[in-house]
C-alpha cells in the first residue's frame, strides 16, 4: 500500500527546513552587515516608544543590505533600518515596526508559517497565509492611526508610498514597512478611510486553530 503519511512527513520536514534555514541565513546576513544606529535614530525610537506606551527593550541597527525597515527577533526584538532611509520616513517606519512588536505579529507569523508547513500540500492554506499577512499589515496601520487626523494619515501613507521603489528585502518571519504594489495601494486606501472598523481578531484565532488542528 502507498504510504501517504511518509510523503506528508517528508514534505513537512522539507518545508520546515526551507523556512527556518532561509530565516537563519537572513539573520546571519543582517548581523554581518549591521551598523550601529546613530544618536538621532535612538532619540526617534525613544520618542515613538513613549507615544505607543511600549516599554520593552528594543535593539536598533542600520544595514546596507536591506531596502526597507523591518522587525526581527522573537526573544530580542531588533528594528533594522536601511542605511539610505530618508529622514522624513524615520518616525513612521519606527512607529510601524513598534506597533507590530506591540501586537505580537512576529508570533502570529510564526503560527501562520507552521500551519502552512503542516498543510504544505493545500494551495488554499498558502493563499490564506498570504491574505493573513496582508490583513496583518492593515490591522497594524489601523491600530497605529486610529486616533490620528487626516494630515498624520497622509504623511504616513506618503512614507509607505515612498518605499514602493525600494523593493522588498525581508524574510517570512520578519515584518516589513513596505510590500508589493497591490498590497501597498490597498493599505493606502485603508489609511485614508476614517470610518469605524470592526476587528476580526477572534475570527482569525478560530481560523488558525481550525487549520492547525485539521
Amino acid at each position: 500500500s502507498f504510504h501517504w503519511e511518509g510523503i506528508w512527513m517528508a514534505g513537512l520536514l522539507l518545508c520546515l527546513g526551507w523556512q527556518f534555514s532561509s530565516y537563519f541565513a537572513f539573520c546571519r546576513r543582517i548581523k554581518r552587515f549591521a551598523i550601529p544606529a546613530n544618536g538621532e535614530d535612538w532619540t526617534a525610537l525613544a520618542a515613538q516608544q513613549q507615544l505607543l506606551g511600549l516599554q520593552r527593550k528594543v535593539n536598533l541597527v542600520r544595514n546596507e543590505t536591506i531596502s526597507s525597515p523591518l522587525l526581527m527577533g522573537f526573544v530580542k526584538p531588533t528594528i533594522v533600518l536601511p542605511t539610505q532611509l530618508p529622514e522624513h520616513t524615520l518616525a513612521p517606519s519606527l512607529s510601524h515596526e513598534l506597533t507590530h512588536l506591540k501586537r505580537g505579529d512576529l508570533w502570529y507569523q510564526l503560527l501562520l508559517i507552521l500551519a502552512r508547513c503542516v498543510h504544505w500540500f493545500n494551495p488554499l492554506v498558502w493563499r490564506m497565509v498570504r491574505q493573513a499577512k496582508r490583513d496583518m499589515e492593515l490591522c497594524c496601520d489601523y491600530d497605529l492611526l486610529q486616533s490620528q487626523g487626516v494630515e498624520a494619515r497622509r504623511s504616513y501613507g506618503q512614507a509607505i508610498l515612498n518605499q514602493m521603489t525600494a523593493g522588498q528585502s525581508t524574510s517570512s518571519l520578519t515584518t516589513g514597512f513596505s510590500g508589493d504594489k497591490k498590497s501597498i495601494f490597498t493599505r493606502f486606501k485603508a489609511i485614508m478611510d476614517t470610518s469605524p472598523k470592526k476587528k476580526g481578531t477572534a475570527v482569525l484565532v478560530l481560523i488558525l486553530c481550525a487549520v492547525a488542528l485539521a
Side-chain angles (χ1 to χ4, degrees):
S1 61
F2 205 75
H3 297 288
W4 290 106
E5 296 86 353
I7 295 178
W8 170 79
M9 181 60 71
L12 171 63
L13 294 177
L14 286 173
C15 189
L16 288 173
W18 170 63
Q19 289 287 347
F20 287 100
S21 63
S22 60
Y23 172 69
F24 290 131
F26 181 82
C27 292
R28 287 194 297 270
R29 177 164 62 88
I30 292 297
K31 184 177 180 179
R32 179 182 178 185
F33 294 98
I35 301 172
N38 57 43
E40 293 181 0
D41 294 339
W42 284 107
T43 301
L45 177 64
Q48 294 304 317
Q49 283 189 276
Q50 184 176 7
L51 287 174
L52 294 172
L54 183 64
Q55 298 181 351
R56 184 174 179 182
K57 184 178 180 181
V58 182
N59 192 24
L60 181 64
V61 297
R62 293 263 183 170
N63 194 291
E64 62 181 11
T65 66
I66 65 169
S67 54
S68 181
L70 61 90
L71 171 69
M72 61 186 298
F74 294 93
V75 179
K76 297 180 179 179
T78 300
I79 295 178
V80 188
L81 303 174
T83 54
Q84 301 301 322
L85 183 70
E87 183 178 354
H88 68 278
T89 63
L90 176 60
S93 300
L94 291 173
S95 61
H96 179 85
E97 302 308 333
L98 287 172
T99 302
H100 273 305
L101 178 61
K102 187 176 181 179
R103 288 167 42 84
D105 284 342
L106 285 177
W107 294 101
Y108 284 128
Q109 287 198 190
L110 177 60
L111 180 59
L112 289 169
I113 291 300
L114 293 176
R116 188 171 66 182
C117 289
V118 171
H119 298 272
W120 57 267
F121 54 87
N122 191 340
L124 293 179
V125 175
W126 286 72
R127 183 175 181 179
M128 181 206 72
V129 170
R130 288 195 299 269
Q131 186 60 49
K133 288 185 176 181
R134 296 191 186 103
D135 292 344
M136 191 180 298
E137 292 298 330
L138 291 172
C139 291
C140 178
D141 294 338
Y142 175 75
D143 286 353
L144 180 59
L145 298 172
Q146 58 180 327
S147 60
Q148 301 294 322
V150 175
E151 287 301 322
R153 291 170 178 268
R154 184 177 291 113
S155 177
Y156 181 81
Q158 185 61 51
I160 292 179
L161 289 176
N162 289 343
Q163 291 295 312
M164 285 181 59
T165 58
Q168 299 185 68
S169 54
T170 61
S171 166
S172 58
L173 289 172
T174 66
T175 65
F177 189 59
S178 67
D180 59 82
K181 185 176 181 180
K182 183 178 179 180
S183 64
I184 286 182
F185 275 123
T186 301
R187 289 172 61 191
F188 186 75
K189 290 191 294 183
I191 286 169
M192 301 311 297
D193 182 7
T194 58
S195 60
K197 308 291 190 307
K198 291 184 178 181
K199 289 190 176 183
T201 304
V203 176
L204 175 61
V205 171
L206 288 174
I207 291 175
L208 289 175
C209 289
V211 170
L213 295 173

